[in-house]
Amino acid sequence: SNNCRVPRHVSAKRMPVALALAVSAMVVKDFSSFVTCTRIPMRSRQGLWLHAGNIPDTVQQASSESPAELSNIALPLVVLGGVGLLLGTLGATKLLNSEAKVSVLSNVDVKFQDVPDHASVSNESKEELELIVAFLKKPEVFQKLGAKVPKSVLLSGPGNKALMAQAIAGESGVPFLEMASSGSQVHDVFAEACEKTPCVLFIPLDRRRRDEALRGELVTEEELEDTIEPLMSEERLDEILQAMEDFKNSELVFVVASSRQALVDRISNLFALGVAVGREPEGLVARRLLAANRLEEAVEAYQLAYKGCTCCTATEELEAELKHAQELLEQHWEKYHDMNVPLPRNGTRECSLRVRQSVACDYCSLSGGEGPGGAVSAAGLALASYVSQNDPPRCPSSGSGKMAPWCGVNVLELGSGTGIAGIAAASAGANVLLTDRISLLPLMAKNIELNQDQIDIGSADCAAFEWADVEKPGNEVSNTTWDVVLGADLVSEFADVPGFADAMAFLLCPLGRAAGGTAIYAHHPQSVELDEKLQSALTERGLNLRVLPSLPLQAPGDAVFWELRSKSSVASPELVAKVLLGGRDKAAGLGEIPAEFWKTLSGDTPLGWIDSSAEELALHEFL
């Protein structure tokens, strides 16, 4: 009825029964032969006992009647003794099997809100626990649908794991069973628990010898292990793991708990769900992360431990270990992530940038998960060299001087990635804003910090802004008039062409924040067809394109530099439509402009890309 099929196993308790039978038979035979001094007669067909009379002549009888009479009496007594021994053994086995294998709590009132450490459990684990609760409430629904439920849970950490297990049962309204650490056979325990399904079977593998607050102490893994007392032998643990596999199709939910991290690491792959209950001492977490070469996480953990440490001696130890972890992390970054980029300048000192990249890595957060842009591209490096070796294009705000030829120039870099080109402009005196996806913001900020010593006169900042969403710029972009726009390898396929062309039109047209300015775009030609498509789209949106001279010693096939400027200083209705609506890959004619667009222009709502109220009034009059 419980959908619990108990696998067949030979119990070790049957061995005494078999031994008792064998010994009884041997005793009966030997003793009866000794008493009668002859072989044992055949068993009578009428009963269980041996026939004492009418002994065949072929059987040699004893010389005296008293031994024969003794035989007639002793033989049944011996048999009775053997049967008694057998029954006694069976009775002892039955008594042993009747001992309590699990402690049962039928009505558990504990809920997740009653577990202090439930709040620290990850959201993903909370969802999995709720799924287990739903299964225990209505297992037949899950079985009918064939849904998979994590029915084996491994609880770890220093928190109250027994209370968490009780909360699973309490939330589900099912019995809570706790397995004894020794005694009954594991298979028998599971079979008994299976009679009470659906239920939670809690199996504690160890317990703390003393309940001490370790949060303020700097403890080692060995010191923590000394506070934990194992409750199960390795052999019994193996039996438990095997029994879990045998009973996996039942309605039992196994909740195993251990505070020993080494054991948790060893058996965690055998469980469907692992839940950390409570927080371990931060110093211990930091040491464990450092031992695993997870350097950046180790530094963060050491910093938390240092803040929360109250012991003077431990504070000194933590400070030394934190410094050591930071040194290892810096060495890792320098060896695997940092690129030193020398940038020669015409007539001035050479500039050398240190650019950090996000590439595949298991030891820190710079693991390449940010997607394209996390590493220095060849086109980005070429654009940084071009900026370093050339004066800025004609700009009304351009400064002068060989030491800072870009002084006073406002530069907006699109798709900055590592920010190498924009930082090169800042080191030459420009005021630069690096922009890209929000996931790349920390990397851009870090590279600005690493090269702050190279930025003497100019400035550099970064903001989350994607050039494909140029219709909705942030305040950092829309509140400044830009003299130069930089970009490198932003178009890699035909689908990128309309968005890039619109972005350039938004910025460089008479209504844009870079009106009257210049864009310098570096790219490695992908194909003739893609370049022709891109040039055509830029021309359709009112932009002039000019190919700039290559860099000295530049090899054929290296990056090509384009200069982009607006053709007109007057905003036509068609251009306004393209800029504010985004013509994408088609030219928006006057007849294609929807009524809502004109309503927006004639209303009182300010337009984000118009520089001042005077220009807005001029636009209304023009329309």
Side-chain angles (χ1 to χ4, degrees), residues 65-222:
E65 291 184 358
S66 57
E69 293 174 359
L70 181 61
S71 173
N72 292 338
I73 297 172
L75 189 58
L77 290 176
V78 172
V79 174
L80 284 174
V83 173
L85 177 62
L86 172 61
L87 292 177
T89 304
L90 291 174
T93 304
K94 182 68 176 177
L95 180 62
L96 184 59
N97 282 335
S98 66
E99 292 178 356
K101 306 177 183 70
V102 291
S103 59
V104 182
L105 293 177
S106 298
N107 298 316
V108 183
D109 296 330
V110 180
K111 299 293 189 290
F112 285 139
Q113 63 184 12
D114 301 322
V115 183
D117 296 308
H118 182 256
S120 63
V121 174
S122 67
N123 292 331
E124 183 180 356
S125 296
K126 287 179 182 177
E127 292 176 2
E128 297 282 0
L129 291 175
E130 292 293 345
L131 182 62
I132 294 174
V133 169
F135 165 77
L136 288 170
K137 286 181 176 179
K138 292 186 178 180
E140 65 279 358
V141 175
F142 286 80
Q143 291 166 355
K144 184 176 180 180
L145 297 174
K148 292 192 181 227
V149 180
K151 294 192 291 183
S152 57
V153 183
L154 179 60
L155 302 181
S156 61
N160 193 332
K161 294 176 279 295
L163 193 63
M164 179 68 79
Q166 290 181 18
I168 297 174
E171 292 280 353
S172 310
V174 300
F176 173 83
L177 287 68
E178 181 172 350
M179 180 177 176
S181 59
S182 61
S184 302
Q185 292 294 314
V186 171
H187 190 271
D188 297 335
V189 173
F190 278 48
E192 180 181 316
C194 205
E195 296 173 1
K196 299 175 177 62
T197 56
C199 64
V200 172
L201 178 58
F202 179 58
I203 308 172
L205 302 182
D206 45 55
R207 67 184 175 193
R208 290 196 180 277
R209 289 194 179 93
R210 60 184 190 271
D211 186 15
E212 293 178 310
L214 297 174
R215 293 179 183 273
E217 301 179 12
L218 183 59
V219 296
T220 63
E221 202 80 54
E222 294 75 16

Side-chain angles (χ1 to χ4, degrees), residues 34 55 58 78 144 195 256 284 308 322 328 335 370 406 457 466 476 479 485 543 550 556 583 591 611 621:
F34 168 77
I55 300 175
T58 55
V78 172
K144 184 176 180 180
E195 296 173 1
V256 178
L284 178 63
L322 171 60
L328 291 177
K335 184 175 181 179
E370 299 84 354
W406 288 66
I457 300 175
E466 297 188 45
E476 300 91 343
N479 289 343
V485 179
L543 300 177
S550 300
D611 192 27
E621 292 175 3

Side-chain angles (χ1 to χ4, degrees), residues 333-335 337-343 350-357 376 381 420 450-451:
W333 278 334
E334 289 180 12
K335 184 175 181 179
H337 294 272
D338 292 356
M339 173 187 289
N340 291 317
V341 183
L343 297 176
E350 183 179 275
C351 171
S352 181
L353 302 182
R354 178 184 173 187
V355 182
R356 184 157 296 168
Q357 306 176 87
V376 174
L381 183 59
I420 182 172
L450 291 175
N451 294 283

Side-chain angles (χ1 to χ4, degrees), residues 205-376:
L205 302 182
D206 45 55
R207 67 184 175 193
R208 290 196 180 277
R209 289 194 179 93
R210 60 184 190 271
D211 186 15
E212 293 178 310
L214 297 174
R215 293 179 183 273
E217 301 179 12
L218 183 59
V219 296
T220 63
E221 202 80 54
E222 294 75 16
E223 290 170 340
L224 186 64
E225 290 284 341
D226 288 341
T227 69
I228 301 171
E229 177 185 1
L231 298 178
M232 305 280 181
S233 65
E234 287 294 326
E235 293 77 11
R236 190 168 178 82
L237 174 58
D238 290 340
E239 291 179 21
I240 290 172
L241 297 175
Q242 179 58 52
M244 286 173 53
E245 178 65 22
D246 293 339
F247 286 82
K248 65 181 179 181
N249 294 324
S250 69
E251 293 173 7
L252 283 171
V253 170
F254 309 102
V255 181
V256 178
S258 176
S259 299
R260 291 174 288 170
Q261 188 60 39
L263 177 61
V264 170
D265 293 340
R266 180 161 61 88
I267 65 176
S268 59
N269 63 320
L270 302 176
F271 291 81
L273 175 63
V275 179
V277 182
R279 286 186 59 85
E280 292 183 297
E282 286 81 0
L284 178 63
V285 173
R287 285 175 166 172
R288 189 177 294 150
L289 290 169
L290 187 61
N293 278 330
R294 293 163 62 181
L295 302 175
E296 195 165 9
E297 295 175 81
V299 169
E300 293 174 358
Y302 271 121
Q303 290 171 339
L304 288 174
Y306 184 76
K307 285 182 181 179
C309 189
T310 57
C311 175
C312 296
T313 304
T315 301
E316 294 176 359
E317 291 183 44
L318 277 173
E319 186 177 11
E321 292 185 23
L322 171 60
K323 184 177 180 181
H324 175 63
Q326 289 172 330
E327 290 174 352
L328 291 177
L329 182 59
E330 284 294 330
Q331 293 171 10
H332 167 76
W333 278 334
E334 289 180 12
K335 184 175 181 179
Y336 296 103
H337 294 272
D338 292 356
M339 173 187 289
N340 291 317
V341 183
L343 297 176
R345 290 181 182 156
N346 292 331
T348 65
R349 62 182 175 86
E350 183 179 275
C351 171
S352 181
L353 302 182
R354 178 184 173 187
V355 182
R356 184 157 296 168
Q357 306 176 87
S358 180
V359 295
C361 178
D362 296 327
Y363 306 124
C364 68
S365 61
L366 299 178
S367 57
E370 299 84 354
V376 174

